[in-house]
Every structure is written in structure tokens, then in C-alpha cells.
Amino acid sequence: MKQLFTEVEARLAAGEAVVLCTVVASHGSTPRGAGARMAVFQDGTFVGTIGGGPVEFAALCRARQPGTEPGWVEDYCLRPEDAAGLGMVCGGDVTVCFQRLRGGDDRERVRAALELLHARRDAWCLIELENGAPAAWGTWDRERGLLGMALAPGILAPLLAARPVLTEGEPRYFAAPLVTGARVYVFGGGHVSQELAPLLAHLDFSVVVLENRTEFARPELFPGVLAVKLTDFSTFAAEVELCARDAIVIMTRGHRDDYEVLREALATPAGYLGVIGSRQKAKHTRERLREDGYREADIARIHTPIGLPIGAETPAEIAVSVAAELIAYRAGQGSEAPAM
């Protein structure tokens, strides 16, 4: 998302118009859900994706057509039996909002979105739809409030949800999280962490790496992460403020440090606790926790062995399996805890 808005801001600064395509509704089985974005430029190139395939191709063709209208909304049917559809077999429907952005106010809103993405705090992007076309758009975060548009009292609060929202009635309002302040704390800076942390950052997770060895607490080992910290594993909970949407991934240099971090982690409200290791290690860890007086409810919070069971063996493969589990958690499909 940061790359998309960075490129959009650069094109607007150069005096170009940009068509921003946003999926505002999806029903049934679709390639991408609400909130997916793609920006189309005057030279025909684009950045981002709304799902690929015929839907994206149709949207690209429409966005590339010359025109002066500020925006419009189009529906795409993905059922093969529908003669007006795109011949796809997904079995769903997608509604795409097209916004023709220019300089001035639009550039200011894009710059505001970029600032929020860099700040990595909870923020939403909102669009007002009136008579089937976008009438206004802007951003909201707790520090600066609503920028770029005005809303009547009582409308804003229901829009600030963990998932994209499209209201009924007229006008309609669409809102989607732009960035979340939730973070993934990776404990340990070894080979798997060096594969995992940059991958998570590429997947738009806000990642903090914590290590108790100086030689492995080097930022250059973890490109793209939010921070790399040298810390004492036995007291990290006093130094790091965690919330229920945060995730803790434990993969230190050994079982002793893993257990020490895990005990501290169980005292936090973090919604996801994952520990690397074999099934035998996982069994031993649970038995030791019971011996130390931990309740079954505490033990049930722990994901171990960490990662989806894809037969991963190398550090890179293990990183992919762990990242996949965290994606499921963020999407609300891998845990009963609040989604990130």
C-alpha cells in the first residue's frame, strides 16, 4: 500500500491525473476482497492489484479511457452463466469505485495517507458515494481526526471497523483500514528470523525484532522492519507495551530462552503467541507450563509448532509457513483473538 500511494503522489506532483480503483464491495467467491486498490496512470501503467484476471483487465481498460468525470462506480459479475458477466467461474460479484485524482486537494489527501502509512498507527481511508459516484474522500486517525471530508454526527464511528464497511442508503460510505498499529514482535535474530522478518514487512506487517545478542541485533539483517532492539528476554514485557492485536513470534537461539520469553509473553494481552520447534518440543513445553502452574486456558493461547503444516524444512520455507499462519490470524481465520 505504501508503494501505491508513493507512486500516486509522485505522478500527481508531476501534474498527471491518476485513476484510483478501489474494491468497495465483494460478494461470494472473488479474487480480492473489499479494500483492494490499484492506481492507473496516464501512460497506461499501473501499480497495485484488485485481483488480476478479467476483472482487473476490464477495470484497467475502463480506467485508461480518456474522460473528465471525477469518478464512477461499476459492478462486475464473476458467474459464467451470467451473459453480462466476465465469463469467470469464481461465483461472486465485485463493485469497483474509480476516482480520477488530480493535484491540489487530492494530492494533499494522498500525502496524508502516506504520512499515516509511515507513522504506522491505526488509520482508515473513507469514500463518500452519492448517486453512484464518489463525491468525497479522506482519511481518519485518532491523532488528527477526519481529513478531507465532513461527516454528520453518528456516521463515523460504525465505519471505523477492523474490516471494510460499505453502508446502505444514500449517500453511501465506504471505509477500509489504511494501516493498523498492531505489530509482530519476533524474538530471536537467527537464520529463520532473518528470512521471516523481511517477508512479514513485505506483507505489510509492522515488525519489531528483539534479540539478546549484539551480533544478531543489527538492522541490516532485517530490511524493511520497523525496529531491531537489543533486549533482556527476562524483562521485555516491562519495556514493550503490547495490545490484544499484537503477535509474538518466539524463535530464539535455544529452548531456555524460548521458554523465558514465552513465560513473559503469557503475561501480556498479545492475541497471538507462536513458538518455533518440533512436536516433541511443543509437548515438553506444555508439560513444563503445567508443572509451573499455568492454566489450560493459558496453554491454549500458544501456537506450537508454529506455522502452517506445509512440510517446510529450510529457514526460507519455515518463514513462509509462519507468515501464512500470521496472514490467517490477521484475516481473523487463524485465531479467536481480535484480528490485527
Side-chain angles (χ1 to χ4, degrees), residues 12 42 48 73 85 91 93 102 130 175 178 180 200 248 252 317 321:
L12 293 177
Q42 288 182 343
V73 173
D93 301 283
R102 304 186 185 276
E130 192 167 7
L178 178 68
T180 174
L200 291 176
I248 291 177
T252 73
E317 290 174 346
S321 74

Side-chain angles (χ1 to χ4, degrees), residues 166-201:
L166 179 64
T167 66
E168 299 295 333
E170 185 69 27
R172 306 183 78 184
Y173 296 95
F174 171 77
L178 178 68
V179 63
T180 174
R183 296 177 177 179
V184 178
Y185 292 89
V186 178
F187 286 84
H191 297 304
V192 178
S193 296
Q194 290 171 31
E195 295 284 353
L196 175 64
L199 175 58
L200 291 176

Side-chain angles (χ1 to χ4, degrees), residues 32 59 148 183 206 233 243 278 280 307:
R32 289 292 302 273
R183 296 177 177 179
S206 296
F233 288 154
C243 71
S278 66
Q280 184 61 32

Side-chain angles (χ1 to χ4, degrees), residues 290-301:
R290 292 186 183 101
E291 292 172 359
D292 287 346
Y294 284 88
R295 302 172 303 161
E296 290 301 318
D298 295 322
I299 297 171
R301 295 175 59 194

Side-chain angles (χ1 to χ4, degrees), residues 14-178:
E16 296 184 30
V18 176
V19 177
L20 182 62
C21 310
T22 304
V23 176
V24 296
S26 63
H27 304 283
S29 180
T30 60
R32 289 292 302 273
R37 294 185 179 91
M38 173 179 69
V40 184
F41 308 119
Q42 288 182 343
D43 60 7
T45 61
F46 66 99
V47 64
T49 179
I50 56 171
V55 169
E56 188 162 285
F57 179 74
L60 279 169
C61 291
R62 183 66 179 90
R64 286 166 176 163
Q65 294 176 4
T68 58
E69 67 268 51
W72 63 95
V73 173
E74 294 194 2
D75 297 314
Y76 297 95
C77 177
L78 311 184
R79 292 185 291 272
E81 68 273 13
D82 192 318
L86 299 173
M88 294 182 69
V89 296
C90 296
D93 301 283
V94 174
T95 301
V96 179
C97 173
F98 296 79
Q99 296 169 271
R100 199 180 302 276
L101 308 183
R102 304 186 185 276
D105 290 343
D106 284 331
R107 186 184 174 199
E108 287 301 314
R109 294 182 182 96
V110 169
R111 290 174 66 179
L114 267 175
E115 289 173 7
L116 291 168
L117 285 164
H118 284 290
R120 295 179 183 264
R121 60 175 180 263
D122 289 346
W124 282 257
C125 191
L126 302 93
I127 305 173
E128 180 180 347
L129 300 170
E130 192 167 7
N131 298 320
W137 75 286
T139 61
W140 184 92
D141 71 287
R142 193 173 304 279
E143 185 172 304
R144 297 187 296 181
L146 187 62
L147 299 178
M149 58 191 298
L151 295 178
I155 293 178
L156 179 62
L159 297 175
L160 305 180
R163 298 286 181 269
V165 173
L166 179 64
T167 66
E168 299 295 333
E170 185 69 27
R172 306 183 78 184
Y173 296 95
F174 171 77
L178 178 68

